[in-house]
Amino acid sequence: MRRPRGVIAPEIAAHARRADCSRVVRVFAAAGIAAIAATPATPALAADDGAGRRTASADKPDWEFAINAYPTQVRGGDNYTSAIAVADRGPLHLEARANYEANGARSAFVGWTFAGGEAVTWELTPLLGGAWGEISAFVPGLEASVAWQRLDFYVEAEYVRDNKAQSDRYTYAWSELGFQAFEWLRLGLAGQRTRAYGGAREYQRGPFVQGSWGPVTLGGYWFNPGSSEQVFVAQIGIAF
């Protein structure tokens, strides 16, 4: 069958994507190793509190907790609410999630935070956990952030291989590039790779805004603005 101009054969495209992905992984791995090697690693220093799942810096010895709900509206799809609860004590990081890996899934994680830097601060939290319910899987993950003055970048990723369907494996990712406009206001761009919304689109991207008043955080993420596959994710959080 004749293909339209500019359309690459599936087998060639797949090979190219694998090659590109491999190059990207090597570049980011080298950059990450260089950054960590250049900065003394210590759990006593933490990245900017504006980014990341942690509710407290890694040098705080007391327990700190936070709960965030994310009501999600999917154009042309099913609306749902996901939730994430975290507990931190020093570098120890615990997470519990609902409707995150999939609708009807539950998951729990334990992690340890390494942090460092002065002018540019960074945090790295490897995670080990599992998911049950709609899927059943052992889930390794990683959360990382870097901050400089009012700018910050945060990324989290996890690899899910469903034990119920061993061929069904996937890498979920969420990232944010944020700017702390005021002490209480953070805004920027977010992106994610997910199957939660259904449809052919795996990559979502768009603007976000967050406002924090004391222990309360309210926010909104608008993915795929202007398209027929728009997704709006609200954030309602409290720390204690």
Side-chain angles (χ1 to χ4, degrees):
M1 181 179 69
R2 185 178 178 183
R3 297 184 179 90
R5 183 182 300 176
V7 175
I8 302 173
E11 61 274 14
I12 298 176
H15 178 77
R17 285 194 297 268
R18 287 194 295 268
D20 290 343
C21 181
S22 178
R23 285 193 292 270
V24 170
V25 168
R26 288 198 297 270
V27 169
F28 275 98
I33 292 171
I36 293 173
T39 312
T42 168
L45 296 172
D48 183 75
D49 291 339
R53 295 284 185 213
R54 289 191 59 95
T55 187
S57 59
D59 61 343
K60 291 188 176 180
D62 299 327
W63 281 106
E64 303 279 348
F65 304 91
I67 299 174
N68 282 276
Y70 298 91
T72 302
Q73 292 188 334
V74 183
R75 174 177 287 186
D78 296 328
N79 300 334
Y80 67 96
T81 297
S82 61
I84 299 176
V86 303
D88 295 311
R89 185 178 186 183
L92 178 64
H93 179 67
L94 306 175
E95 279 192 35
R97 304 172 181 172
N99 295 336
Y100 187 87
E101 287 75 17
N103 243 331
R106 304 291 183 267
S107 56
F109 298 84
V110 59
W112 193 266
T113 299
F114 302 91
E118 295 180 1
V120 177
T121 59
W122 58 269
E123 279 189 351
L124 189 67
T125 306
L127 297 168
L128 289 177
W132 63 95
E134 184 66 21
I135 61 174
S136 175
F138 169 73
V139 185
L142 178 69
E143 297 175 354
S145 64
V146 61
W148 174 71
Q149 296 185 5
R150 294 189 177 190
L151 292 173
D152 63 75
F153 178 72
Y154 169 74
V155 62
E156 65 179 65
E158 59 181 46
Y159 177 75
V160 178
R161 181 178 179 181
D162 193 349
N163 294 328
K164 297 178 181 178
Q166 303 245 337
S167 61
D168 192 6
R169 61 190 71 182
Y170 198 72
T171 300
Y172 292 81
W174 176 288
S175 60
E176 297 178 6
L177 177 61
F179 176 72
Q180 199 78 33
F182 300 100
E183 184 177 353
W184 57 273
L185 179 65
R186 178 173 175 260
L187 47 86
L189 298 173
Q192 63 173 329
R193 184 174 190 257
T194 181
R195 289 180 175 174
Y197 308 141
R201 186 193 290 260
E202 290 187 88
Y203 297 94
Q204 323 281 331
R205 56 188 65 85
F208 75 88
V209 61
Q210 290 176 324
S212 298
W213 299 270
V216 177
T217 297
L218 300 177
Y221 298 80
W222 185 18
F223 293 108
N224 314 320
S227 78
S228 61
E229 298 177 300
Q230 295 181 65
V231 177
F232 181 76
V233 182
Q235 178 188 7
I236 306 168
I238 185 167
F240 53 95

